[in-house]
Structures are given as structure tokens and as C-alpha cells.
Amino acid sequence: MTQRTFIILLILPAMAVALSATSFPGSMIGFLVAIAGVFFVAVPGAAIGDALRQGGVPVTGEQLLWALAGLYALLPLGAAVRHGHG
């Protein structure tokens, strides 16, 4: 993870809390949404990007976001198929 990415990951939750600070529950919801975004987008994106770059595959941030979007779009489909056969 680059220093720039790390700084953005620190600023993102703070911004979410500041924007939703109308009440304590609102602040907590904003903070949790920001943390979820970090764990479900930034961390997997950085890990996948690092693995691809080490393998010699050049990839951009936009390509990583599309790959993650495709992966997360398939998860409910896989769960639905598995639930139908379970």
C-alpha cells in the first residue's frame, strides 16, 4: 500500500463522520460506512493490484475497481445458486 493510499484511507472515515455529524447515531453510521468502504474496496484493490503487478501485469486503479465490482456482483448470484441447490 502506498503512502498516498494510506493517507486517503485515514481521511475518508474522518470526512464521512464530519459530513454526517448531525447526531451521534448519524456519525457512527457514516464512520461504519467509510470503514466498510475501506475494507471492501481499498484493501482488496491494493492486494489484487500488488499481486498483478508482481506477476508482470500492468493495471490501473480504474481496472481494479471494475474487477472488484464484477467480483462483488457475482457474490449474490453465487449465494442464490447455492441456496437454491442447498
Side-chain angles (χ1 to χ4, degrees):
M1 180 181 305
T2 66
Q3 181 180 5
R4 180 179 171 192
T5 304
F6 181 73
I7 291 169
I8 290 171
L9 295 180
L10 289 177
I11 292 171
L12 186 65
M15 287 177 39
V17 168
L19 291 174
S20 65
T22 56
S23 66
F24 182 74
S27 298
M28 292 310 299
I29 290 170
F31 181 74
L32 293 175
V33 166
I35 294 296
V38 169
F39 281 113
F40 290 111
V41 177
V43 173
I48 292 170
D50 289 344
L52 289 174
R53 286 185 197 97
Q54 286 178 357
V57 178
V59 8
T60 65
E62 185 177 350
Q63 292 169 329
L64 286 173
L65 287 177
W66 279 107
L68 282 172
L71 173 69
Y72 289 140
L74 291 176
L75 290 176
L77 179 63
V81 168
R82 181 165 173 85
H83 182 68
H85 293 300

